[in-house]
Amino acid sequence: MLQQVSSVQLTVGKIDAGTAILLSPSHHLIEFPTQILPEGVTAGSIINLTFERNQDEERRQREDFLSLQDEIFYSFSQPPEAPEISVKSVTQTSAIVQWKPLSLHAADLRGIDVYRNGQKLSLNVASTARSVKLSGLDVAHEYEVWIVLRTSAGALQSNKITVKTHSMENLTGINVSFGTFTNTTEVEELVELLSRIGAGYTEDLTTESTHLVCTVPRGPKYDKAVEWNVPIVSPEFLKACEMQGKIQPATSFYVSNPTPLKGSQDQ
């Protein structure tokens, strides 16, 4: 709603460097920007200025300010929330634990600690990580796992979860990626094999991959597998797992002898 308040007649006394000196009927001098004066105005011109109050715009800006004020108050007055973790995947000797995006509000994250059966693990978990891989676990064994966030507002402990590694006969934890093959049609047969034993595969090699399967020890995936300490095995590894009905030692099927596996990986 626009409400007219007043209209006043002014005389232009001087125009200099983008500023006009206006003289009011009560002989007050007012500096006024020439950019918003009517075209053709010069010294001696008489102009009328009308002042109106825009209450609708006042109300809108007031609401915007209050909304911003509430947002700032909420952001800087809320304490950080404890993380919530869950199991992402499990094999015979490893497990990946994941957590939802952290809600720290105004607090700063100073570190993430991982605990297994009450013992703090020596893992370097990045502040941006959403999961951590625990390796070197015993077969068919239960572990209690949780994480603790170290923040500027104090330590926050997650929920505790039970992680049970697979038995040797459980092949569902196998998650391979395929590298370079001399005979590419062999990959289709291996995909069918994985389906029969309940295992899986991904197009890309990630730190969550349990094995890289290939026949030729070269290529981008091969180089990444060496860097990430992912076992590089021949197709015979999967065939042996199916035939024996249980997980087989990867060392017997190495395409090349990779660097020994690290105790843990995180992403």
Side-chain angles (χ1 to χ4, degrees), residues 24-100:
S24 71
S26 56
H27 307 293
H28 289 94
L29 296 180
I30 303 173
E31 291 187 356
F32 203 80
T34 58
Q35 290 90 341
I36 58 177
L37 287 176
E39 186 177 353
V41 169
T42 61
S45 297
I46 297 176
I47 61 175
N48 291 328
L49 291 182
T50 300
F51 299 92
E52 296 176 319
R53 181 178 180 183
N54 192 334
Q55 294 181 331
D56 290 338
E57 181 63 16
E58 286 182 13
R59 187 179 302 107
R60 187 192 66 79
Q61 292 192 17
R62 187 184 307 112
E63 291 173 353
D64 288 347
F65 173 77
L66 294 176
S67 176
L68 177 61
Q69 192 176 51
D70 291 340
E71 182 180 343
I72 294 174
F73 175 79
Y74 178 80
S75 299
F76 289 91
S77 64
Q78 296 297 310
E81 300 175 16
E84 182 178 345
I85 65 173
S86 60
V87 178
K88 185 174 185 180
S89 62
V90 179
T91 68
Q92 280 73 15
T93 58
S94 67
I96 295 178
V97 176
Q98 63 182 357
W99 49 88
K100 297 179 179 180

Side-chain angles (χ1 to χ4, degrees), residues 118-257:
Q119 181 180 6
K120 179 181 175 181
L121 303 181
S122 298
L123 298 178
N124 184 20
V125 183
S127 60
T128 56
R130 292 281 304 281
S131 64
V132 64
K133 184 175 183 179
L134 309 179
S135 299
L137 306 180
D138 294 331
V139 177
H141 194 82
E142 285 191 356
Y143 296 91
E144 187 177 49
V145 179
W146 67 92
I147 66 173
V148 173
L149 304 182
R150 289 180 282 110
T151 76
S152 57
L156 299 170
Q157 180 179 305
S158 73
N159 55 309
K160 295 182 179 181
I161 60 174
T162 299
V163 177
K164 185 175 182 179
T165 53
H166 290 170
S167 64
M168 298 299 291
E169 294 74 24
N170 189 335
L171 302 177
T172 59
I174 297 176
N175 181 37
V176 307
S177 183
F178 296 109
T180 305
F181 279 74
T182 53
N183 182 6
T184 56
T185 59
E186 190 174 1
V187 175
E188 297 179 4
E189 300 174 359
L190 294 175
V191 169
E192 294 178 0
L193 185 156
L194 291 170
S195 179
R196 290 196 299 270
I197 65 177
Y201 74 98
T202 57
E203 292 294 334
D204 297 326
L205 180 74
T206 70
T207 53
E208 296 179 14
S209 300
T210 58
H211 305 82
L212 175 69
V213 182
C214 65
T215 58
V216 180
R218 64 172 179 267
K221 287 187 179 181
Y222 177 86
D223 295 337
K224 279 296 183 183
V226 172
E227 178 184 349
W228 293 340
N229 299 305
V230 176
I232 306 168
V233 297
S234 68
E236 302 305 317
F237 167 77
L238 295 178
K239 297 175 183 178
C241 289
E242 181 183 35
M243 181 176 297
Q244 298 298 325
K246 61 181 180 180
I247 194 77
Q248 299 298 301
T251 53
S252 302
F253 303 92
Y254 279 160
V255 173
S256 170
N257 188 19

